[in-house]
Amino acid sequence: MTYLSGLKLAHPFTNDDSFEVSLLVGADYYWKIVQDKIVRGNGPTAVESKVGYLLSGPIVSGNKETSNISMMNVMLSHRQEECDIEQFWKVEAVGTEDRKSGKDYGEERRGFIEKVDETVKSNKKIHYIPHHPVEKNLSTTPIRIVFDCSCQANSTTPSLNDCLMSVPPQLNDLTSILLRFREKKYAKSADIEKAFLNVGLDDEDRDVTRFFWLKDTSDPKGGFNTYRFKSVLFGATCSPFILNASLLKHMDQYQNEVSDTIKRDLYVDNILSSFSTENDLLQYYDVSRHLLAEAGFNLRSWASNNQKLMDLASTEQILDEGNPIKILGLRWNTIKDTITFAEQKPMDLKDETVTKREILPQSSKVFDPLGIISPITVRAKMLIHLIRPETNG
């Protein structure tokens, strides 16, 4: 590619198998370093920047385009599996592929979004939200769609979140919920299915939640349809407060022991409780599901240390079949009825020298809201493990 000869690249070509990245530029700063000159040819396009020319576009082998990359000199010095371009595009395609379930994103069918007729002019404020799928590998939510409400059109325009009031929800104390969860003999956990999406959005506000989606997911060049949300979407800065306020207001309509327990043990869309008797546990199961269903919420993913409740939830297909169960950042083994910390991968030390910069992030990964392990003990054990891995102390 002679047309690139003599250009000072942001990172020079090398035959080495690996090398270190000296500078990583985020998308929010990309346009601040890019300059005007562009060099085109039969291959990648070179764009002038303050740190050298950046290459992007197709890589040509002979007369055939072998691949199409978005930007060279990016995605370097990561683990091999993170650099696999084929795998990268597979993740980006999640949710657009044909699946046995017949879903795409599937939200229109459930009434969470609606198609916009763009031939009809609107005098309301209009905003379009970018989105992408994230594969979660969970039985209840295999794919989570992330809507970027903090995205700005440029550095001078506000994002949707910048225009929304940010009010913290009235969350219950996390430590108190976990202590009550361990207080009595029979415990249970459950969560509200798609809690945010079950709170309706006023028609006046829907046009600022527009987004595009392919008309035909098998044809990337087939054009787009426009949709908008009919409900509160996860990712908007005000959504946690709206969900919390809606649930509390609904529970206030019922003055009974179950509604009081839900309000006391609710944390965002999770509810953890414990009961003295099996009868109280099973009664709570029936009444709580009925109360939330009155507002259109489905209380699902039930788990318990009581087999009768597990069997009942399994029959009604709302059982969380995992074990251990994820509960507010911790792990609950329902069979042994024990709570443990989430497993952390040990640090991969490539150098014998261990610094505080490496130790502190590793120790802070242990989420311990109950204070079972003191910070000093955690850091001391991490220090011993990292410096002398051959010891068992």
Side-chain angles (χ1 to χ4, degrees):
M1 294 178 284
T2 57
Y3 70 98
L4 297 177
S5 299
L7 296 181
K8 179 187 176 183
L9 301 179
H11 196 291
F13 286 113
T14 176
N15 294 322
D16 296 339
D17 293 333
S18 62
F19 51 87
E20 292 187 0
V21 175
S22 56
L23 178 64
L24 184 64
V25 179
D28 51 344
Y29 285 96
Y30 174 75
W31 294 108
K32 292 184 180 180
I33 69 166
V34 169
Q35 297 178 320
D36 296 332
K37 189 174 181 180
I38 299 176
V39 180
R40 301 178 186 274
N42 186 28
T45 298
V47 180
E48 186 183 20
S49 78
K50 295 179 181 179
V51 295
Y53 279 87
L54 303 171
L55 301 181
S56 64
I59 298 176
V60 178
S61 176
N63 294 322
K64 181 180 179 182
E65 292 185 3
T66 58
S67 62
N68 190 19
I69 59 173
S70 58
M71 183 61 63
M72 292 180 68
N73 307 323
V74 177
M75 295 177 67
L76 306 173
S77 80
H78 291 270
R79 295 191 301 273
Q80 179 60 40
E81 60 268 25
E82 293 177 344
C83 295
D84 191 322
I85 296 295
E86 181 180 359
Q87 180 63 26
F88 172 79
W89 289 115
K90 282 183 179 179
V91 173
E92 286 298 294
V94 169
T96 66
E97 301 169 348
D98 291 333
R99 292 175 176 261
K100 292 181 179 179
S101 63
K103 297 179 181 179
D104 191 10
Y105 276 3
E107 306 299 351
E108 183 180 22
R109 177 177 56 81
R110 304 191 64 172
F112 300 144
I113 62 174
E114 61 187 359
K115 194 173 181 180
V116 176
D117 184 358
E118 292 201 278
T119 62
V120 179
K121 292 186 178 181
S122 173
N123 57 0
K124 302 172 186 175
K125 291 182 179 179
I126 297 176
H127 177 77
Y128 293 85
I129 308 174
H131 59 91
H132 66 275
V134 174
E135 193 164 15
K136 299 295 289 184
N137 292 322
L138 298 176
S139 58
T140 55
T141 311
I143 298 172
R144 169 162 287 177
I145 309 153
V146 177
F147 288 86
D148 188 359
C149 298
S150 296
C151 180
Q152 297 173 274
N154 54 58
S155 59
T156 62
T157 58
S159 67
L160 176 60
N161 277 343
D162 290 332
C163 301
L164 298 174
M165 181 178 293
S166 179
V167 181
Q170 299 179 20
L171 295 179
N172 291 309
D173 180 67
L174 186 62
T175 302
S176 299
I177 291 176
L178 290 169
L179 287 175
R180 287 194 298 269
F181 178 69
R182 303 297 290 172
E183 181 182 8
K184 298 177 181 178
K185 182 176 181 180
Y186 299 100
K188 70 91 201 157
S189 68
D191 68 64
I192 303 172
E193 181 181 11
K194 297 188 181 296
F196 291 93
L197 294 173
N198 280 289
V199 179
L201 187 63
D202 192 278
D203 185 70
E204 291 295 316
D205 299 323
R206 293 180 183 179
D207 277 325
V208 297
T209 66
R210 290 189 179 191
F211 64 94
F212 295 115
W213 188 242
L214 290 169
K215 291 181 178 179
D216 181 359
T217 57
S218 63
D219 181 12
K221 298 181 180 180
F224 296 94
N225 285 323
T226 302
Y227 294 90
R228 66 179 187 176
F229 274 87
K230 297 171 61 178
S231 54
V232 172
L233 69 158
F234 184 81
T237 188
C238 59
S239 295
F241 173 81
I242 295 174
L243 171 63
N244 182 253
S246 300
L247 288 170
L248 293 180
K249 182 177 181 180
H250 178 66
M251 287 298 107
D252 283 341
Q253 299 180 53
Y254 307 91
Q255 299 297 326
N256 57 49
E257 187 175 351
V258 172
S259 65
D260 290 342
T261 300
I262 293 175
K263 289 192 293 183
R264 183 193 64 188
D265 295 339
L266 173 69
Y267 195 86
V268 188
D269 58 352
N270 297 275
I271 308 175
L272 274 63
S273 305
S274 66
F275 304 88
S276 300
T277 68
E278 183 180 72
N279 184 62
D280 288 342
L281 173 70
L282 298 177
Q283 183 180 12
Y284 174 90
Y285 172 86
D286 290 329
V287 176
S288 63
R289 291 194 64 210
H290 173 74
L291 293 185
L292 286 168
E294 287 287 318
F297 294 106
N298 179 35
L299 197 54
R300 56 150 192 196
S301 298
W302 286 78
S304 177
N305 58 356
N306 177 267
Q307 192 58 47
K308 282 189 178 181
L309 188 143
M310 296 281 278
D311 293 340
L312 185 59
S314 178
T315 301
E316 300 188 6
Q317 298 183 337
I318 53 172
L319 175 68
D320 189 334
E321 297 180 351
N323 199 25
I325 305 297
K326 294 181 180 180
I327 54 165
L328 302 181
L330 300 175
R331 301 295 183 268
W332 178 34
N333 187 314
T334 57
I335 298 175
K336 297 180 180 179
D337 198 16
T338 57
I339 291 181
T340 57
F341 301 114
E343 183 178 354
Q344 302 293 337
K345 294 182 180 179
M347 183 182 295
D348 182 17
L349 296 177
K350 299 179 180 179
D351 195 332
E352 294 182 358
T353 302
V354 181
T355 65
K356 288 190 293 184
R357 184 187 293 269
E358 295 168 322
I359 293 174
L360 293 178
Q362 189 74 8
S363 63
S364 63
K365 289 181 180 179
V366 180
F367 181 65
D368 182 24
L370 292 174
I372 297 172
I373 303 178
S374 70
I376 296 177
T377 305
V378 171
R379 287 180 172 84
K381 288 185 176 181
M382 288 288 181
L383 186 64
I384 292 172
H385 172 70
L386 292 175
I387 295 179
R388 295 183 296 179
E390 71 278 4
T391 64
N392 295 319

